Amino acid sequence: MNEQNLDLITLTIDDLEVSVPKGTVIIEAAKQVHAKIPHYCYHKSLSIVGNCRMCQVEVEGAPKLMIACHTQVQPGMKVRTHQTSDKVREAQASTLEMILINHPLDCTVCDQAGHCKLQDYHFEYNAQPSRFIETKVSKVKAEPLGPTVMLDAERCIMCTRCIRFCDEVTKTSELGMVNRGDRSMISINPGKELNNPFSGNVVDLCPVGALTHKQWRFNTRIWYTKQVDTICTGCSTGCSVKLAIRDNQVVHVKSRPNSATKQDWLCDEGRYGFHRFIPKHHLKDASVKQQVVSIADALNNLEALKSNDTAFLLAPDLFLEDFYLVKKFRESFAPEAQVAVAYRGRSLTELEKILISPDYAANFRSAQYLGLISDNPESDYQTLLNKIYNQEIKNLVLVGDRAIDLQDLNSEIVSAITKLSLSVAIIADADSALRTTCNVVLPSRSVYQKAGLMISNKLRLQYSERLLDFDFSTHPHWRYFEMLASKFGKSITLAKEDREMTLALLAEINADPSDLNTNLRLVRKQGLEIAFQ
Amino acid sequence: MKILLKGIEFDDNVSVAGYQSRGGYESFRKALSMSPDSVVDEVKKSGLRGRGGAGFPTGIKWSFFIPRKTEKPIYLIINADESEPGTFKDRLIMERNPHLLLEGILCGAWALQAQKTFIYIRGEYAYPYTVMKQAIKECYEKGLLGQNILGSGFSHDVIIHRGAGAYICGEETALMNSLEGKKGQPRLKPPFPAGYGLYGMPTNINNVETICNIPFIVQNGGDAYFKIGVEKSSGTKLISASGHIKKPGIYEVEMGYPLLDFINNECGGMLEGRKIKCIIPGGSSTPVMTGEELVGVNLDYESMRLAGSSLGCAGFMVLDDTADMVEVLLNLTKFYAHESCGQCTPCREGGHWIEKIVQRIADGQGRPEDIALIQSVCGQIAGHTICAFGDTMVMPYQSILKKFASEFEAKISLNPNSLVAKSKRLAVLQENQL
């Protein structure tokens, strides 16, 4: 939307003047003066129902308080939020009291405790003891809504965000509201269950602890975890996520609304499927023909790579840094060498298409960006696989655990690789079939053990954070290429660790190298749009 | 003066032939000869106000449809979801005078150029439903509904739909949601029904009694109607009288009729040996009026408003001095707590909270601070909800608590655990010791 073409409306919020496009609701306009209006049911990506009554504001001339989520701005409107109006503060306190009268207050065992809007708002806007001494309404405490989500109806505050998500975003309408009055509760519609590919989002949307992930219920208190803003490496959509980590384990995955991409959701595969990126056993030692050797010794066996008969097969979830050094290495020592990324397309249902990209290749765009592979990565990959089958190449470097897609990793390809004169695997998973297949195996790190840049399907440069600890005997993939290059007598980077490498790369990509740290901060937070040359 | 109850004493009034024998459908023929806009003008001139409770001028409501720029079909909805406790006037019309309603619908549909009318009838009204259904069927057979009515080129369909027994579906937007097959919960306004109503089309919604006044207005002109009643409340009003009176029933009176006269003459006065304690004048959701407050009050919108209550939909409940106001309030709170749609927080939670407190008081476990607490919760509900349910719910609560506080205090003081009772017992003890 081109904002310059829209009529701007000027109004005052808490005596501060703001200009916003016509049709904006007060709650959005208030963000411009940093007046955070508390709300439960409002969500900018869902329709407006105005049922929580938490966002009431005073509008001059209106007989009663208006809800900020539904009232559109008018020229000259004078709005007072809780910051300047006693009436609004009273209304908010009373709404909170009402919401809490039938709430079980089982914060001590509730997964939401610590990141619960009820707790936050109660402390901020009410903080009074309840005057309610009657018996609370009891409802179901643990009803499975589907394979992934559990409902605790007593904790529910009936904001209906989950219902609206299923009605409006996935359009699958699994959820509804049954009964009336204080007996009303969220329920699955008859004959359905909540099992759409985005079901986990309803838990993110739930402002309280009513909806929880089956998988992570009663798992950990949120304040014992480290929360990291990163991106999902499941497919090339590269959704923004927030991961909670405790004791070097991922314990919770949440979608992280990204204002730049206007994306608020996360698919269940990305949310619950992160385990596939974490090897059960990490590879710690280098080996040559299954014999454990030091990394330096292993590298001594790789002189043959300086040949145009070498081929590089790269995993699609490597970082831009890795691809970059592969490119540099190839330019210096094997300019005619074959390169391919293990890209396999996938078919998606109409519903999945709203978010998921048709691949499992999180970062194939980076390889394209660097000119390593063509516009048709799948045929590049198949061509190279055929060359391996036909023994048309002599040396093969497999970079990353998924350098050969798991669907293709069968006994035929394994025997074809063993027949090659030299095969090198740079992998992190000790259980990988490549470990016993390749002549030389170098220990590396899984995608969560290193940090680096990724380019999404929509050409957005993003940053994947290091989440888990790594073994110091390992190196990130790109580092091996520098070690080899210096061994061959021509260093290709000065960087020694991830961050240095990232900054060096950013300096090359970006027009303004003077402010790399700011750039990196932006890339980490919301990503940066880039253009292919 | 009988406008609405005309002809109900005849059993054949439910048939087209019987109704026509007393001049039925003449108004509609006359309306067809007028332009739609001039029908709206007559209604405007008549000063007719909506009989559903709010008393909004019908002519003004209809004139929202005058620009007719829209390509969309206009719908007319007849709100026959008469669920207000103490109100049963529409039922009589539909049972005994169904063709008056249908004629009113036809006149209104012509004035608004509406394509379809939906009658949303209360689920419990099984018999009125069958009568209405039969009347609609007969109208289709006689060419009074359907395509090209009476050769005029005007086509109109009437669909009658039974509700499922929810009070809230009498609220116009909840009614529309219910008609659309959704859960009967009020919508946020704006958009208003006149622009975006049933199935997103411009929709006009009128009460049964309102629309039944239209044939008279068309036949005799708006001015003639305006002369009936008083200045700001013209016409007649059906009053459903119930309670401790000798002759409960439905009475058609001219607006501005003295209230006490109505009780003493039409209703036959209070039951033998009883004294009037209070009335709830407009259906249960209006403030109560004590016996003393009734003097000099007339049955019209303005006079009732000045007296601190409202004519509402004129569901008169007369209570005598045997009525226990705690039980009255408990009854009301139970109804409203049960009927809250559960959508927005204050009404969903607050209604039940009040019910539980009143129940506790009625059970003899009240605390002295409970009265103030109920008043405070009422204040937290009123004005903070999506629809008017919250506001109308607390109006009787607040007035009963205010006007009959002594009864509540007396009940609370009987609580063996209350401080008042304890201090009284202490006083007695001390006296005995002295």
Side-chain angles (χ1 to χ4, degrees):
Chain A
M1 218 174 357
N2 188 354
E3 294 198 0
Q4 280 165 349
N5 290 342
L6 291 168
D7 305 337
L8 284 183
I9 284 179
T10 308
L11 68 155
T12 65
I13 298 176
D14 293 336
D15 300 325
L16 296 167
E17 206 164 88
V18 263
S19 291
V20 288
K22 199 178 166 190
T24 312
V25 288
I26 294 173
I27 206 167
E28 291 294 331
K31 285 180 183 164
Q32 295 202 0
V33 289
H34 304 290
K36 269 196 186 156
I37 298 179
H39 58 272
Y40 291 112
C41 66
Y42 173 75
H43 190 282
K44 63 182 186 311
S45 302
L46 300 174
S47 68
I48 296 164
V49 291
N51 61 21
C52 74
R53 316 312 284 184
M54 199 55 211
C55 67
Q56 294 179 87
V57 290
E58 198 178 339
V59 177
E60 204 178 277
K64 41 186 193 176
L65 299 180
M66 310 288 277
I67 45 172
C69 65
H70 181 246
T71 313
Q72 295 187 351
V73 294
Q74 303 288 338
M77 206 182 216
K78 289 198 174 74
V79 179
R80 298 200 168 276
T81 70
H82 55 275
Q83 292 175 348
T84 52
S85 165
D86 289 337
K87 235 169 130 186
V88 173
R89 272 195 292 271
E90 251 169 57
Q92 282 168 346
S94 100
T95 302
L96 276 167
E97 184 182 31
M98 295 280 194
I99 286 176
L100 286 168
I101 62 172
N102 279 314
H103 188 82
L105 302 175
D106 54 351
C107 305
T108 42
V109 295
C110 178
D111 286 306
Q112 195 77 4
H115 53 159
C116 175
K117 281 279 187 71
L118 269 181
Q119 292 180 328
D120 295 353
Y121 286 169
H122 180 72
F123 285 117
E124 207 167 335
Y125 301 106
N126 187 10
Q128 294 292 319
S130 177
R131 297 176 292 169
F132 184 81
I133 59 161
E134 330 300 329
T135 318
K136 294 189 184 222
V137 178
S138 53
K139 297 180 192 166
V140 294
K141 283 297 276 181
E143 184 178 74
L145 294 183
T148 53
V149 178
M150 289 288 259
L151 168 71
D152 182 330
E154 286 188 351
R155 292 178 190 158
C156 177
I157 60 165
M158 303 307 297
C159 71
T160 69
R161 275 181 178 191
C162 50
I163 299 180
R164 282 176 282 149
F165 176 81
C166 294
D167 282 351
E168 294 159 18
V169 178
T170 65
K171 301 193 170 67
T172 42
S173 300
E174 290 100 341
L175 298 179
M177 181 177 168
V178 294
N179 297 340
R180 282 199 312 240
D182 67 353
R183 288 99 53 221
S184 55
M185 55 182 251
I186 303 295
S187 171
I188 32 177
N189 286 332
K192 290 203 172 184
E193 65 168 354
L194 182 67
N195 62 351
N196 67 56
F198 302 97
S199 62
N201 285 304
V202 296
V203 183
D204 288 349
L205 283 171
C206 187
V208 298
L211 296 174
T212 42
H213 300 288
K214 254 189 193 176
Q215 190 175 331
W216 297 314
R217 296 181 90 212
F218 309 125
N219 189 345
T220 177
R221 309 312 314 234
I222 199 76
W223 53 86
Y224 291 131
T225 64
K226 184 176 88 175
Q227 312 238 342
V228 188
D229 288 353
T230 181
I231 57 166
C232 172
T233 52
C235 73
S236 61
T237 305
C239 302
S240 306
V241 294
K242 190 187 271 293
L243 272 87
I245 291 150
R246 180 180 182 182
D247 299 339
N248 206 28
Q249 279 182 346
V250 178
V251 288
H252 203 270
V253 182
K254 231 181 178 180
S255 68
R256 173 166 64 96
N258 187 331
S259 56
T261 54
K262 299 205 165 56
Q263 230 171 51
D264 299 315
W265 320 123
L266 182 63
C267 68
D268 283 0
E269 214 172 284
R271 188 187 303 271
Y272 303 119
F274 62 90
H275 287 294
R276 66 180 190 272
F277 300 108
I278 305 173
K280 277 210 180 86
H281 303 101
H282 289 276
L283 188 62
K284 288 178 184 160
D285 305 301
S287 60
V288 174
K289 294 188 176 130
Q290 326 308 329
Q291 300 297 312
V292 172
V293 294
S294 74
I295 288 174
D297 287 345
L299 293 177
N300 284 335
N301 294 297
L302 301 179
E303 282 293 322
L305 291 182
K306 280 198 284 183
S307 148
N308 284 337
D309 285 335
T310 303
F312 295 90
L313 199 43
L314 312 173
D317 51 4
L318 294 175
F319 292 141
L320 183 60
E321 290 83 342
D322 304 313
F323 289 128
Y324 180 69
L325 283 212
V326 169
K327 184 187 171 193
K328 285 269 177 186
F329 182 84
R330 174 168 167 258
E331 275 169 6
S332 305
F333 304 106
E336 304 281 303
Q338 301 272 328
V339 184
V341 168
Y343 180 97
R344 287 280 299 244
R346 62 189 275 209
S347 58
L348 296 173
T349 62
E350 280 304 310
L351 177 54
E352 286 171 331
K353 276 181 194 160
I354 63 174
L355 190 63
I356 305 172
S357 296
D359 56 55
Y360 286 109
N363 201 19
F364 76 98
R365 285 285 190 205
S366 283
Q368 282 182 338
Y369 178 76
L370 295 169
L372 276 175
I373 55 170
S374 73
D375 285 345
N376 193 344
E378 192 151 17
S379 80
D380 285 7
Y381 172 55
Q382 291 301 340
T383 316
L384 188 54
L385 278 189
N386 284 334
K387 284 195 173 161
I388 297 171
Y389 280 125
N390 302 334
Q391 303 287 310
E392 285 173 39
I393 50 161
K394 282 187 185 152
N395 313 316
L396 176 65
V397 186
L398 296 162
V399 190
D401 291 296
R402 302 205 295 133
I404 292 176
D405 194 276
L406 293 179
Q407 293 175 57
D408 302 314
L409 196 58
N410 48 28
S411 53
E412 283 173 59
I413 193 86
V414 164
S415 67
I417 292 172
T418 37
K419 281 183 209 149
L420 297 172
S421 64
L422 175 62
S423 54
V424 187
I426 309 177
I427 52 174
D429 185 1
D431 304 326
S432 169
L434 298 177
R435 185 189 182 191
T436 48
T437 310
C438 295
N439 308 127
V440 180
V441 178
L442 297 165
S444 185
R445 297 171 191 167
S446 71
V447 67
Y448 287 169
Q449 288 174 317
K450 50 184 200 160
L453 296 163
M454 286 199 159
I455 299 178
S456 78
N457 205 354
K458 297 240 170 84
L459 305 185
R460 177 166 279 275
L461 187 67
Q462 305 192 109
Y463 191 75
S464 178
E465 302 279 347
R466 188 175 71 74
L467 305 162
L468 305 178
D469 297 344
F470 52 79
D471 199 287
F472 282 99
S473 63
T474 63
H475 295 289
H477 301 86
W478 58 268
R479 187 98 175 89
Y480 286 108
F481 291 96
E482 159 58 14
M483 286 156 87
L484 267 180
S486 15
K487 193 176 223 22
F488 296 164
K490 188 183 170 195
S491 173
I492 48 180
T493 178
L494 297 171
K496 291 272 187 285
E497 45 97 21
D498 280 345
R499 192 184 166 81
E500 275 179 82
M501 186 64 221
T502 304
L503 288 174
L505 244 179
L506 267 183
E508 212 157 295
I509 293 170
N510 208 281
D512 180 16
S514 61
D515 196 11
L516 288 179
N517 278 317
T518 317
N519 262 327
L520 184 57
R521 213 170 294 144
L522 188 71
V523 171
R524 287 167 85 152
K525 196 175 160 223
Q526 59 180 41
L528 199 68
E529 243 173 74
I530 55 165
F532 275 21
Q533 281 95 351
Chain B
M1 185 82 210
K2 275 189 178 176
I3 297 174
L4 303 159
L5 300 186
K6 191 182 154 201
I8 59 159
E9 59 273 29
F10 302 105
D11 282 343
D12 67 348
N13 206 39
V14 296
S15 68
V16 172
Y19 181 66
Q20 273 181 334
S21 72
R22 282 176 286 279
Y25 289 108
E26 287 306 315
S27 308
F28 175 52
R29 280 173 222 272
K30 190 179 172 196
L32 284 178
S33 69
M34 297 159 70
S35 76
D37 291 2
S38 57
V39 177
V40 176
D41 281 342
E42 289 302 321
V43 176
K44 253 190 193 168
K45 266 191 252 170
S46 75
L48 172 65
R49 290 172 69 169
R51 303 293 196 235
F56 190 79
T58 309
I60 293 177
K61 196 172 182 175
W62 284 12
S63 62
F64 296 151
F65 293 86
I66 291 287
R68 294 203 187 90
K69 280 175 207 152
T70 168
E71 291 293 300
K72 292 176 178 174
I74 294 172
Y75 292 144
L76 176 63
I77 295 179
I78 302 303
N79 188 346
D81 189 64
E82 185 179 48
S83 325
E84 183 80 17
T87 313
F88 38 89
K89 60 187 175 60
D90 296 346
R91 174 173 159 183
L92 183 71
I93 295 176
M94 288 186 286
E95 278 178 6
R96 301 290 298 181
N97 216 351
H99 288 288
L100 177 68
L101 174 58
L102 288 172
E103 189 175 6
I105 287 170
L106 282 167
C107 296
W110 173 252
L112 299 166
Q113 290 293 297
Q115 282 193 2
K116 272 195 173 71
T117 292
F118 297 84
I119 304 174
Y120 188 94
I121 187 166
R122 178 179 177 185
E124 291 89 334
Y125 278 6
Y127 178 60
Y129 174 73
T130 53
V131 177
M132 281 309 298
K133 204 155 178 166
Q134 178 58 34
I136 292 167
K137 199 177 150 210
E138 207 186 339
C139 279
Y140 271 105
E141 284 163 3
K142 299 267 161 70
L144 285 161
L145 281 174
Q147 299 296 311
N148 192 14
I149 299 169
L150 301 174
S152 63
F154 177 65
S155 303
H156 194 71
D157 288 313
V158 173
I159 292 153
I160 184 161
H161 179 86
R162 265 177 93 176
Y167 171 72
I168 193 62
C169 288
E171 201 276 346
E172 53 183 17
T173 50
L175 189 154
M176 287 172 202
N177 272 352
S178 172
L179 259 181
E180 287 178 17
K182 297 171 186 158
K183 194 169 172 163
Q185 289 180 328
R187 300 175 183 172
L188 278 180
K189 293 179 208 170
F192 292 96
Y196 188 95
L198 184 65
Y199 300 110
M201 303 303 159
T203 306
N204 182 64
I205 180 159
N206 283 124
N207 184 261
V208 170
E209 191 187 341
T210 316
I211 207 88
C212 286
N213 282 302
I214 305 297
F216 180 90
I217 294 169
V218 171
Q219 191 65 34
N220 304 298
D223 293 329
Y225 189 86
F226 187 72
K227 285 190 190 114
I228 310 167
V230 290
E231 193 194 344
K232 283 188 175 165
S233 311
S234 54
T236 60
K237 180 86 193 80
L238 287 186
I239 297 188
S240 340
S242 62
H244 301 139
I245 44 175
K246 280 192 186 135
K247 291 194 313 191
I250 299 166
Y251 299 95
E252 182 168 4
V253 297
E254 259 186 58
M255 287 279 194
Y257 190 66
L259 199 154
L260 279 175
D261 286 2
F262 175 71
I263 295 174
N264 293 327
N265 303 339
E266 266 77 2
C267 303
M270 300 299 293
L271 291 177
E272 234 19 87
R274 307 275 183 85
K275 251 180 71 193
I276 189 161
K277 184 176 201 174
C278 66
I279 65 162
I280 305 179
S284 66
S285 57
T286 49
V288 293
M289 299 166 83
T290 59
E292 299 86 63
E293 286 171 332
L294 302 181
V295 182
V297 177
N298 298 331
L299 287 167
D300 63 74
Y301 291 106
E302 296 304 304
S303 175
M304 295 292 278
R305 200 173 56 79
L306 283 175
S309 187
S310 154
L311 186 59
C313 49
F316 247 63
M317 285 179 276
V318 185
L319 301 175
D320 69 14
D321 47 4
T322 62
D324 179 351
M325 292 316 283
V326 180
E327 293 295 330
V328 169
L329 184 61
L330 180 61
N331 193 315
L332 288 177
T333 52
K334 278 197 164 147
F335 175 78
Y336 286 105
H338 182 73
E339 294 294 345
S340 166
C341 82
Q343 190 178 202
C344 56
T345 311
C347 165
R348 176 185 68 226
E349 308 289 350
H352 283 267
W353 188 3
I354 296 175
E355 181 208 343
K356 283 172 180 169
I357 301 171
V358 178
Q359 179 74 62
R360 196 158 42 76
I361 296 174
D363 290 349
Q365 295 292 316
R367 304 170 303 165
E369 64 265 38
D370 282 338
I371 298 174
L373 178 59
I374 299 173
Q375 290 282 18
S376 152
V377 177
C378 285
Q380 291 179 11
I381 299 171
H384 297 299
T385 52
I386 291 175
C387 72
F389 185 99
D391 304 339
T392 53
M393 160 168 76
V394 302
M395 270 196 272
Y397 298 180
Q398 286 174 324
S399 64
I400 289 175
L401 278 175
K402 202 172 128 203
K403 290 171 185 172
F404 300 96
S406 56
E407 289 191 30
F408 285 83
E409 279 156 10
K411 194 109 186 176
I412 288 166
S413 68
L414 292 177
N415 179 1
N417 299 326
S418 81
L419 286 175
V420 180
K422 275 179 186 163
S423 61
K424 268 187 189 163
R425 279 204 300 276
L426 201 69
V428 171
L429 244 135
Q430 281 169 347
E431 229 168 71
N432 289 350
Q433 278 171 355
L434 286 172

